[in-house]
Amino acid sequence: MATVTELPVETFKGPVDPDWCPGCGDFGVLKSIQEAAAKNGIKPENLMVVSGIGCSSNLPGFINSYGVHSLHGRSVPVATGVHLANTDMKVVIVGGDGDGYGIGVGHLIHAMRRNLDVTYVVMDNQIYGLTTGQTSPTSGIGHKTKSTPLGNIENPINPLALAMISGATFVARGFSGEQKLLADTIAAAMMHKGFSLVDTFSPCVTYNKINTYPWFKERVYKLEDTGFDPTENLYKSLEKSYEWDEKIPLGILYKHEMPTYEDGELALKKGALVKQSLEIDKAMYKSLVDELI
Amino acid sequence: MATVTELPVETFKGPVDPDWCPGCGDFGVLKSIQEAAAKNGIKPENLMVVSGIGCSSNLPGFINSYGVHSLHGRSVPVATGVHLANTDMKVVIVGGDGDGYGIGVGHLIHAMRRNLDVTYVVMDNQIYGLTTGQTSPTSGIGHKTKSTPLGNIENPINPLALAMISGATFVARGFSGEQKLLADTIAAAMMHKGFSLVDTFSPCVTYNKINTYPWFKERVYKLEDTGFDPTENLYKSLEKSYEWDEKIPLGILYKHEMPTYEDGELALKKGALVKQSLEIDKAMYKSLVDELI
Amino acid sequence: MQEVTIGIAGAAGDGLDKSGDTLARSCGRFGLHVYAYNSYQSIIRGGHIWLRVRISDRKVTCHGDKLGVLVALNQDSIERHAREVDEGGFILFNSDRIKCEESLIKKGVTLLPISMKEVTEEVAKKYGPVKPIMQNTVAMGAVMWLMGLGTEQTEEVLTDTFSAKGKEVIDMNVALLEAGYEYAKKIVSKPIFVAGKWESDKKRRPFITGNEAIAMAAYAAGCKFYAAYPMTPASTILHWMATNAKKTGILVKQCEDEISVANMAIGAGIGGVRSMCATAGGGFALMTEAVGMAGIMEVPVIFVEVQRGGPSTGLPTKTEQADLFQVFGASQGEFPRLIVAPRDIADAYASTVESFNLADKYQLPVLMMSDLLLSEHPETVDAEALSCDVKVERPEYIKEWDAEKNGKFKRYKFTESGISPRALPGTPGACHVTASDDHDERGILISDMFTSPPVRRKIMEKRMTKVANMLKELPAPKLEGPANADVTLLCWGSTWGVVREAAELLNEKGIKTNFLCIKYIAPFHTKEVTEILSKSKKKISVEVNFTSVMAQFVKMQTGVSMDGHITKYDGEPLEPKMIVEEVEAQLASKTKDLSVSEAEAMEMAYHYLRTHALEKLRPSTLKVHSKNGSGEPVWEIELAERITNKSAGTIKIGSNTGSVIEFKQESPVNA
Amino acid sequence: MQEVTIGIAGAAGDGLDKSGDTLARSCGRFGLHVYAYNSYQSIIRGGHIWLRVRISDRKVTCHGDKLGVLVALNQDSIERHAREVDEGGFILFNSDRIKCEESLIKKGVTLLPISMKEVTEEVAKKYGPVKPIMQNTVAMGAVMWLMGLGTEQTEEVLTDTFSAKGKEVIDMNVALLEAGYEYAKKIVSKPIFVAGKWESDKKRRPFITGNEAIAMAAYAAGCKFYAAYPMTPASTILHWMATNAKKTGILVKQCEDEISVANMAIGAGIGGVRSMCATAGGGFALMTEAVGMAGIMEVPVIFVEVQRGGPSTGLPTKTEQADLFQVFGASQGEFPRLIVAPRDIADAYASTVESFNLADKYQLPVLMMSDLLLSEHPETVDAEALSCDVKVERPEYIKEWDAEKNGKFKRYKFTESGISPRALPGTPGACHVTASDDHDERGILISDMFTSPPVRRKIMEKRMTKVANMLKELPAPKLEGPANADVTLLCWGSTWGVVREAAELLNEKGIKTNFLCIKYIAPFHTKEVTEILSKSKKKISVEVNFTSVMAQFVKMQTGVSMDGHITKYDGEPLEPKMIVEEVEAQLASKTKDLSVSEAEAMEMAYHYLRTHALEKLRPSTLKVHSKNGSGEPVWEIELAERITNKSAGTIKIGSNTGSVIEFKQESPVNA
Ligand SMILES: Cc1ncc(C[n+]2csc(CCOP(=O)(O)OP(=O)(O)O)c2C)c(N)n1
Ligand SMILES: Cc1ncc(C[n+]2csc(CCOP(=O)(O)OP(=O)(O)O)c2C)c(N)n1
Ligand code: SF4
Ligand code: SF4
Ligand SMILES: [Mg+2]
Ligand SMILES: [Mg+2]
């Protein structure tokens, strides 16, 4: 492993200030990503932050790096494309629970089973923030929202279990209210080779009056304090992912070394695509034409 | 439970013969669904078979019942709509692995977390049949197909584990080559209250030269013979879902009683929507207008 | 006739929509007509919101272009809008926090600084601390005085609004209202209007948005299934549906995405209930595949597409009419569907009911096009326009089919009308498959084993026959205004409202003007529209988009080209005077000047300052320099400090391109 | 000039595509021109496949409408096609399994029953059992004799084809070929043609499909990323890409759906590589949202939309040109993009290369429209048309940006040309966000906090400016054929091929005809096309769809209406004579007769029998009855048993609607 030269966090200060509501959990996530990039010594020009649409998906606009602010639910395929075009950059995908687990969950599953070497930080606020507060796939049963005034009747997704059984090789949970731990977790996720998902509680102070900072504060605990080993056993990790009502684990729940998609992809053996020449092998081309005769 | 009057299987003989390749696994699935419906005494007019697009998705055309042959990957939402409009009919969704676990996997996950009261039989042939043999989300690593001539490099999905952690309450595996067991499994799935998934090995004799009848025959065994209790423990069921290379369990892997989506949906308390009157409550309507003044 | 427009400006979260609502409903109860438009951003707190409430004693169909009173809730609102207040108008603001430089206002405008602390002192003593958001009520009180109306209706509205919160809250709000009223009365001796002069008909009218009208119409028409995925500006249909689900019995389903929405809605349509869904342009893009499925399956289902600023995510909270071809071209291949674009709220109500009936009768999808302006702006409408006594026409379905006697049931029987008999799933004896592959009369696929070109030809013809039949029962568009006009304006959707007023102004000015609003897009009244347009003299299309899509579309249908186009594509709706000026310019054959105007250069400078965290500065004076090294003339804008007015640097903006070419603060920095 | 069309008919899985390929390549090596079209179904085994291989000594651009030889691989193929063989032609079939009633053939047609068992007896003795699929090689041998060509080229082709399988297999196939050749020689003394008469230029030409040409062109143009989801008729691009990935170094990605495909391709475009994806109409419907994103982000990326029979899943393996408006209207809002529709395989190659260059230069998405016919039919083309020496024009990118010196990097700088400087991700100093929300020069959103109507106006104008500039460098369409014609045919895409031949035939008949093929759809050469069409006399559009979409589109762009439309929408491509006849009919002002023709009634009866498991019957005679109780004249079709020819009942089919009104077998049953 090459030695890492840490960068000052200010390196990543974005061009404009975030426009989130005061107190929004996303501030802590932004700060954590900036700290993680700084800690890992990733230069702004080598960092690519890709998002979908949502309050949380505005994040790329607030960090000094390259960014794509794509379509609602499509951050994962867009990031896959950007990443495969230029594998020399570090890709961090960010977005909301609606974006990632609602409309985008199909892409997510397929990216995870590819074990694509990217990091995905979901700002999970159990609500649709930007569209002013409808139910989300992580809203709890009974949650009253603009679209479920009588209470949500759908079971919430367990994104961590989903990730573990789909093939993600680094599965963690963060909380914006435990910002230092979150920064460390994201830093570790970025250094992990393979797909890393960091589901992050990032309270929406405007529309979610249930899953608030105090609600989480009462429940969260740090897995590392318990001596839990995320590399040991899938089923134990799965069990941890189901802890919810009374106590909720933070940190790395599951970690596993596996070949990545990039390892298997022949076209990348010669390095990043964008750095390869556009010249073609004319003799070979001629042979392809000859085959048609 | 009302007493069931079994129907003759011939009741379900379709208007035309299937156009599948001779030997295709889908024949056995069709037969099993017909037998299951007959056994459960569901009249053709009360059976609704909904599919997407694919060889397997042609099935509704070959059974005497109502059917919708919808879009590739969209059988689940279409079925949800048909079902919610008329909850008096029994809905069986059918289709391929590409249809259900590839393009359609997002819908599937959300339908399962709703625990919608429908049965989904996936004819899993580990290949895209109708489009002449490309890799599918259940193709194994290394599988050479038209789109992966050097071998597939993506980890296959584990549909059963996916179903279990997503909220499906009846998760089973069938094999077209064990047709009687399959018919029984589908019959049980249809009678289960909640979302039932029957992932069914249905070999594609034309394009999949790996996962053939003999390949499966060598590996499958019946769970019921082992005394396995699918209602006991999620993690044990999950472990079963991971058995693959040497032995593969058939039958019900997981079963759990939970309220269904229909139980929670207020609009259905008055019975099937399609049978409700179109008349509106005019006094109530007037009060809605008055609120705006 | 008497009218006034009140502008309320502030940030998201300042509660100004609530205040606007209180104001509008007070006037509505007074028997006045109200039309409001809220210009906001895709942001939850902060940003800039600009609500205009136009109040008149006759029906108005747009927010107009006058500004009688500005209620500014923050400093930025003063910077942005103080200049817009007309002579004779007033600017209200909380003088404890906000200042208004005299240099920012037109002459004849009166500043009405309210020290909220002082004015609410008494109320606070009695009821406890007054939250910032409650200060809006004080401003409303002042506005009521300025408008020459009493506080009676407003008190009533406040009482209704806070009825759930109890008497204490009501009393406090009423007290604040009166404090504002009394304060204004003290300072401004002569209000803008005298109460008696308002020619109110005393009819109490509901104040309703386009989306609420669509939702209510759906309910009245027997809709039983509504699916949606949240998306501005369609979300408020979902909110209405969800809020009222318990009362209406409609099954309201928020899905995981728009693909699911469309397919579920179609599924419900197949199942046999009246079914609807709505979304904006981006969500509709995801629905298009399903639209074609409904077409080939011949399923009745309603899709509402509410247009917003594009392309792509674009300007999610801004209005535009640029999705015509997306909707017209929705899905591959050719199939019958109705595309209808209502022009105002009452029409949106009626069109929704009609859509359900036609969808059922002709067994096809209906695509209803709205836009942010129509869907989100609230307006007072006559209660009769929202009547629940609508015609609900469902065709007869087969109740039972005897195949022994009648042969196998043919769901897609080839008929002269193109309409085939329908048996809903569950009907004994009529089992069939509803397929997205093409099929024969019985629904058996002709794409696989049973390929048959002549059967394909006939089913295509059967389906398409429905189009011509449907056209016959749709009312043709009519020219509005004087018959032999010099100018004919072409419009569609919500733009009808502003065109109607512009035409009136033009006629008043002696430019004889009429206008044609296209409501039915497919099928299209080619004969009638061609006839109207070929007789028209100067034809000008008026649309809120860049490429004049309706003008293009009409040309496709009729071959008639417009003589000119009026377009707007900056996210804000058109206003009557803009249209009047552009018509005059086009009559004088002036070519449109796309260079950056002085006011725009000013705003662009503001934008630069805001996005470079230089909000303490303000553009002060500006002039044009020619060329100046950058290849184009530039606006040179002097900057001043907002507080001290001290000169602080310059910004240069290309007057053609609008590019910020240079920025100098203390030490020169190129931008 | 000499030409012949060989038709091969059978079921899916019968291996007839292989045989067609062998035949075509043999002729190609002989220096002849070949054009083949395969009419097949969405089914893997069984069904009906109908391959026509047209061979000529001059270039032909469609499969024509003649049939010299029919090779029937099953009984159904005889029933379907025996009637189509022209006088002087031959029908080959395996007489061990298949029969051909004399009543089914035209006079002057020779039956060539081959007892495969007998003919292959010797070969089987030497090499072992002959599989049914190998019998096709025997038929090919016979065909080579009938065409007056030797077996030399075919032996060469077989040798290449089976080179991997070893000498034994090659020898066996060659032996079968010769057995067929010798057998035919024995039976048919005079073949259709004499070898020497073929005016071959001896140039060996590649036999290639449109999709292969597109894939190869992409590679030649420097494409580095190809994403796809399987969908007929676009899948073969994916197959080519995957098969050759190791050689080309292109990253080929099969995604989970088309939404992913489009977004990944755009992502790769943002990342900085040349990127492409392809799909059919239904898949494209799912991509449309992303297309708009590429538009507002200004990302170069190529989308190929291969049209097939719609609407919806429709006829997945049939050809149609009905997606024009889906592509034109793709995605909400307005943004610049190039839409191009090549007309033949060589043009598809050139257009693909050009698309990559223009996408890069103007930073926009390119939508290339093909259709099943163009994409899937193979044709011999000159090798030069597939040259790898293509111009690959990439603009200069910013390599490093010094923000201290030059100010912050402006990815969307407002320029006169509309083209902004581009720095690829990874470039030091030029960090920026590529956003689907609208934005200012730096890429900062103007949809949220920083709303600014004038900035929005200017970025819209910047983007749209590119359109006019791009148009200047696109070649305008040209009228082909005589200048002052009586008839001008309008067409687009693959229909060019058949229109070209039809125009030739019309000119031969003395009807002076020229034709205009539209290639660039957006931007559009309004001036040039208007000029051409306003001078044209009788203007008739020729399209493979129902609503003449290109005619509509041209009317929108030019205001010019066609005088008539020739359409086909039954899934099969147009043929030259159909066009000729329709032009003649339209010149004679005959209205189009949509009633069911005798041949169609026959086919519809066949369809009824097939779908009612009555394949043992065959329609024999038919006559029209007027009215007959059903409200329309009916075709009354007598049925006979296929084997005994015994009368077996009747079918009545409405001659307007095509509905099966009655079916009687032994005991009367209504259908
Ligand atoms: C195709 C599409 N559908 C819907 C929307 C509207 N939309 C914008 S953000 C959003 C959901 C936001 O929720 P989430 O992803 O959880 O992000 P949050 O705002 O909570 O951070 C939706 C539905 C859209 N932009 N595009
Ligand atoms: C939107 C869309 N994309 C692609 C296709 C083409 N397509 C038809 S079937 C199919 C996959 C078939 O695989 P599977 O679902 O596994 O079914 P099988 O044929 O193997 O039974 C595809 C990709 C389509 N019809 N629609
Ligand atoms: S609405 Fe919620 S998620 Fe969005 S910025 Fe505000 S607090 Fe954050
Ligand atoms: S291709 Fe495969 S899946 Fe399709 S019908 Fe044939 S055997 Fe079955
Ligand atoms: Mg959220
Ligand atoms: Mg499959």
Side-chain angles (χ1 to χ4, degrees), chain B residues 96-98 123 125-129 136:
Chain B
D97 42 330
M123 284 161 260
N125 56 9
Q126 290 87 14
I127 201 83
Y128 280 20
S136 108

Side-chain angles (χ1 to χ4, degrees), chain A residues 15-16 19 21-22 53 55 70-72 74 98 102-103 128-132 134-136 146-150 154 205-207, chain C residues 42-45 229-232 235 238-239 242-246 252-259 286 312-313 610-613:
Chain A
V16 298
D19 56 13
C21 305
I53 297 291
C55 291
S70 74
L71 294 172
H72 185 48
R74 313 307 168 197
I103 187 169
Y128 280 20
L130 191 61
T131 46
T132 75
Q134 298 84 4
T135 186
S136 109
K146 270 195 191 158
S147 55
T148 56
L150 305 171
E154 307 191 351
V205 295
T206 303
Y207 294 112
Chain C
S42 185
I43 195 179
I44 305 303
R45 295 261 180 90
Y229 187 72
M231 189 162 193
T232 307
S235 301
L238 169 61
H239 299 164
T243 306
N244 295 296
K246 203 171 164 178
V252 182
K253 185 84 213 69
Q254 179 182 328
C255 304
E256 61 272 18
D257 61 18
E258 288 87 351
I259 296 181
L286 293 169
S312 198
T313 313
R610 281 186 200 110
T611 52
H612 286 74

Side-chain angles (χ1 to χ4, degrees), chain A residues 165, chain B residues 108-109 112-113 158-172 195 197 254:
Chain A
I165 66 101
Chain B
L108 174 57
I109 286 179
M112 293 192 296
R113 74 184 180 84
N158 177 340
L160 302 181
L162 194 70
M164 289 173 203
I165 65 102
S166 295
T169 46
F170 181 109
V171 182
F195 197 100
L197 177 75
Y254 179 68

Side-chain angles (χ1 to χ4, degrees), chain D residues 11-34:
Chain D
D14 280 352
L16 52 77
D17 35 352
K18 269 270 163 60
S19 308
D21 198 60
T22 306
L23 174 65
R25 286 163 64 140
S26 311
C27 298
R29 291 187 185 194
F30 197 83
L32 296 175
H33 298 266
V34 183

Side-chain angles (χ1 to χ4, degrees), chain D residues 325-488:
Chain D
F325 286 105
Q326 157 157 290
V327 174
F328 182 72
S331 205
Q332 71 275 20
E334 299 154 303
F335 55 91
R337 77 279 189 226
L338 172 66
I339 307 179
V340 54
R343 66 190 197 179
D344 70 0
I345 291 176
D347 194 26
Y349 188 91
S351 301
T352 305
V353 175
E354 181 189 45
S355 293
F356 275 105
N357 289 337
L358 292 172
D360 253 357
K361 177 168 178 186
Y362 291 100
Q363 303 181 20
L364 42 69
V366 176
L367 313 177
M368 198 160 103
M369 298 191 73
S370 179
D371 53 48
L372 183 137
L373 175 60
L374 174 54
S375 272
E376 291 200 335
H377 94 272
E379 182 183 326
T380 47
V381 298
D382 291 346
E384 299 77 53
L386 308 174
S387 160
C388 60
D389 290 317
V390 298
K391 263 205 284 180
V392 174
E393 299 169 313
R394 286 214 103 181
E396 278 293 310
Y397 298 128
I398 306 292
K399 287 280 142 24
E400 180 149 12
W401 187 261
D402 185 344
E404 292 289 311
K405 229 173 81 188
N406 305 315
K408 290 184 178 145
F409 178 68
K410 292 175 173 173
R411 169 66 186 93
Y412 297 104
K413 190 176 161 66
F414 297 164
T415 61
E416 301 273 356
S417 68
I419 300 173
S420 306
R422 192 166 173 221
L424 300 184
T427 308
C431 284
H432 64 268
V433 175
T434 304
S436 73
D437 277 81
D438 217 348
H439 38 258
D440 67 10
E441 294 186 278
R442 278 170 67 203
I444 292 173
L445 306 197
I446 54 172
S447 54
D448 290 351
M449 190 62 98
F450 305 115
T451 185
S452 178
V455 173
R456 158 70 176 187
R457 177 163 88 79
K458 279 300 167 189
I459 188 135
M460 274 297 282
E461 288 164 7
K462 174 201 114 67
R463 280 192 297 261
M464 298 307 273
T465 299
K466 300 195 281 189
V467 177
N469 290 334
M470 186 166 56
L471 181 62
K472 284 182 210 139
E473 59 174 289
L474 303 177
K478 285 203 183 63
L479 208 50
E480 297 174 69
N484 289 310
D486 301 318
V487 173
T488 297

